[in-house]
Amino acid sequence: MHGPQPPMPGTTPPAPAGVIGAAAMARCTALILFVFVIVFTGLLAGAYRLTRPAIEASAREEKMRLINEVLPPGSYDNDLLADALALPATPELGLPDGGQVLRARKQGRPAALVLEAVAPDGYAGAIRLVLAVGADGRLLGVRVTQHKETPGLGDYIDPNKDKNKAHPWIGQFAGLSLADVPASGWRVKKDGGRFDSVAGATVTPRAVVKAVKKALDFAAARGEALYAVSAKEQP
Amino acid sequence: MIRRDEFASIANNGLWKQNSSLVQILGMCPLLAVTTNATNGAMLSLATLLVMALSGAAVASLRHLIPHEIRIPVFILIVATLVTMVDLAFNAGLHGLYLVLGIFIPLIVTNCIVLARVEAFAAKNPPLHSALDGVFMGLGMLWTLSLLGGLRELIGAGTLLSGIELVIPGTHALRLLPEDYPGLLLASLPPGAFILLGCLIAWKNWMEARAARAKRPPLPHSPSSPAPAAAGPQG
């Protein structure tokens, strides 16, 4: 990383002339630095090995916690994270770089799809969502996983930030399906649809509603094919 | 061992006289970004405290082995290793909070206060003194960032300690102002952090000016004597 450096004038106390040459001193300094790098890299490697199992477990737990918010834990009996399917680039879900679908099954039969989706047109950039769509085409739940909407204004799409704790905004989606709500209903009330929004922050819910509708369309069109591919078959 | 007056001077420097946020004005980037509530401010300060205490002790123990010319790369190496270890430990143990503090834990490496204390103090003092210096610098940051975070969330949303459930499961944020408090968005956004930090600095300077006035009795026959200079930000 750092090669031997000649001592810069003015920064080093003058070495007794003739005792050790500048080149020998530079070699010695480089060696010391090298030893430090080896020792501290070793420490890091040790810390990484020690913490890796706990980090992997908490990442899994975090993922399951989120999934359990959109998907009732009793509604499936397979190991969800093992039944994941990698998606190629999917513009229908707003995933230009691809994503992941989890298949929930009960006694081997399809129960629900857990999809990632991105609403690209939030007020402050993309809004990432995770949603569960039952095998009957009903939305089981929607959650926002990442957004940059204005704190205190547009962030009510996140139930933890929503001031209405009893009926958080994002809860409106649960139980709806394309069959219940006509295409024109998938808008906020201000635009003539059926979804509430908070005055002064309409861009945010508009983006979320649009992304949810698109994800439902995707699940309706591709759902059966997605359940059919086994996790091992995928490329 | 450490003498009583040395201990008192290290403590006073870290907590008040050389307070990293109010006097040295160091580490502004994490200060602005994480002090949206008291919990985040306190937890980032604790992580920084840990890094500063460990790096102070490590540098002070190794200070006779580190050649003067390469001391900065070695210090950075030591600090970066310790920060990565703290980062891994946070990720493993407090995953929820890790997701909130996110990028700011690795960025402790670039927080000038860590390198500044290593270079200015640990490189010239014994390990125990240096570790204590790190602890008290960290405690100084802790009370400042917690106070700033608390003020911001209180003014911004009317709550205190939101996010505490990520640290201690089962607890929840305190709501100090009535449920219908509209909130002041400015306080939650970065400019609010600057404005409130300015108020805190002004308060500290006022306290010091008052203490200086009390110490020096007013001179007779000199009504126009200059006021004692307030301790301004240095660095």
Side-chain angles (χ1 to χ4, degrees):
Chain A
M1 235 164 50
H2 299 271
Q5 290 165 350
M8 277 196 289
T11 57
T12 41
V19 177
I20 28 172
M25 230 179 91
R27 266 199 296 277
C28 178
T29 309
L31 189 70
I32 293 173
L33 187 54
F34 184 68
V35 170
F36 270 111
V37 170
I38 297 291
V39 169
F40 281 90
T41 311
L43 278 176
L44 262 192
Y48 175 73
R49 284 182 70 95
L50 273 178
T51 51
R52 195 174 53 175
I55 290 172
E56 276 170 6
S58 46
R60 249 181 105 82
E61 201 177 293
E62 175 65 26
K63 207 159 179 187
M64 282 313 291
R65 194 187 56 74
L66 189 71
I67 291 168
N68 287 341
E69 277 192 27
V70 293
L71 188 62
S75 62
Y76 60 93
D77 55 10
N78 59 332
D79 179 3
L80 263 188
L81 295 182
D83 206 349
L85 186 65
L87 278 184
T90 316
E92 299 96 307
L93 295 175
L95 300 169
D97 302 318
Q100 208 184 29
V101 185
L102 306 179
R103 283 88 50 92
R105 303 174 199 270
K106 191 153 194 178
Q107 289 155 356
R109 275 202 297 275
L113 288 175
V114 180
L115 298 165
E116 297 171 64
V118 175
D121 43 4
Y123 187 72
I127 302 170
R128 300 191 73 92
L129 305 165
V130 59
L131 26 81
V133 186
D136 56 355
R138 248 168 231 291
L139 271 170
L140 297 170
V142 183
R143 281 292 178 278
V144 173
T145 55
Q146 215 180 55
H147 71 88
K148 297 199 263 315
E149 302 306 292
T150 320
L153 197 59
D155 64 353
Y156 62 87
I157 52 171
D158 177 355
N160 296 323
K161 299 283 167 65
D162 201 332
K163 291 195 178 76
N164 186 350
K165 293 288 176 207
H167 300 283
W169 181 85
I170 201 88
Q172 300 181 76
F173 292 107
L176 297 183
S177 70
L178 290 174
D180 299 339
V181 183
S184 63
W186 290 94
R187 293 185 189 142
V188 293
K189 278 185 183 153
K190 201 178 163 192
D191 300 341
R194 61 161 288 163
F195 294 96
D196 291 323
S197 63
V198 169
T202 329
V203 176
T204 308
R206 204 178 268 154
V208 175
V209 169
K210 208 163 104 187
V212 170
K213 163 79 164 60
K214 280 167 75 177
L216 272 180
D217 287 337
F218 174 80
R222 299 269 306 275
E224 273 182 45
L226 288 174
Y227 283 117
V229 187
S230 91
K232 287 178 197 81
E233 272 173 40
Q234 61 176 299
Chain B
M1 278 314 288
I2 185 163
R3 291 205 319 273
R4 212 192 163 90
D5 58 320
E6 286 174 330
F7 182 85
S9 139
I10 289 175
N12 183 35
N13 258 331
L15 292 176
W16 185 258
K17 215 173 127 208
Q18 291 292 329
N19 184 295
S20 62
S21 308
L22 296 182
V23 179
Q24 306 186 61
I25 323 284
L26 290 174
M28 286 298 108
C29 165
L31 180 142
L32 292 184
V34 305
T35 58
T36 47
N37 61 48
T39 315
N40 291 358
M43 292 315 290
L44 188 79
S45 305
L46 281 178
T48 313
L49 182 153
L50 199 59
V51 169
M52 287 176 71
L54 292 174
S55 60
V59 167
S61 324
L62 298 170
R63 69 187 190 283
H64 298 304
L65 299 176
I66 304 172
H68 189 72
E69 305 83 48
I70 55 160
R71 67 190 193 288
I72 300 292
V74 174
F75 292 166
I76 291 281
L77 183 67
I78 293 173
V79 173
T81 305
L82 291 168
V83 167
T84 313
M85 287 164 110
V86 168
D87 181 63
L88 289 170
F90 250 87
N91 193 347
L94 291 166
H95 192 73
L97 194 71
Y98 178 78
L99 296 179
V100 178
L101 294 182
I103 183 74
F104 293 102
I105 296 179
L107 278 182
I108 293 174
V109 181
T110 63
N111 189 339
C112 315
I113 186 67
V114 180
L115 194 63
R117 289 325 284 177
V118 163
E119 163 80 357
F121 196 93
K124 298 168 191 140
N125 289 286
L128 181 64
H129 293 64
S130 305
L132 275 175
D133 180 69
V135 168
F136 279 104
M137 279 290 156
L139 286 176
M141 187 176 162
L142 177 73
W143 77 256
T144 317
L145 261 63
S146 310
L147 181 62
L148 188 60
L151 284 173
R152 280 181 73 186
E153 64 174 315
L154 185 62
I155 299 172
T159 58
L160 200 57
L161 290 171
S162 53
I164 188 78
E165 68 276 2
L166 298 174
V167 189
I168 313 165
T171 54
H172 57 86
L174 305 169
R175 173 155 277 286
L176 294 189
L177 296 180
E179 197 71 45
D180 56 357
Y181 173 67
L184 182 68
L185 190 56
L186 178 67
S188 311
L189 296 175
F194 267 135
I195 293 168
L196 285 168
L197 180 70
C199 295
L200 284 182
I201 294 172
W203 166 75
K204 179 182 186 291
N205 288 353
W206 176 75
M207 294 277 286
E208 291 203 328
R210 206 179 58 157
R213 260 203 307 279
K215 221 179 269 175
R216 200 192 313 173
L219 299 169
H221 310 302
S222 59
S224 62
S225 73
Q234 309 158 6

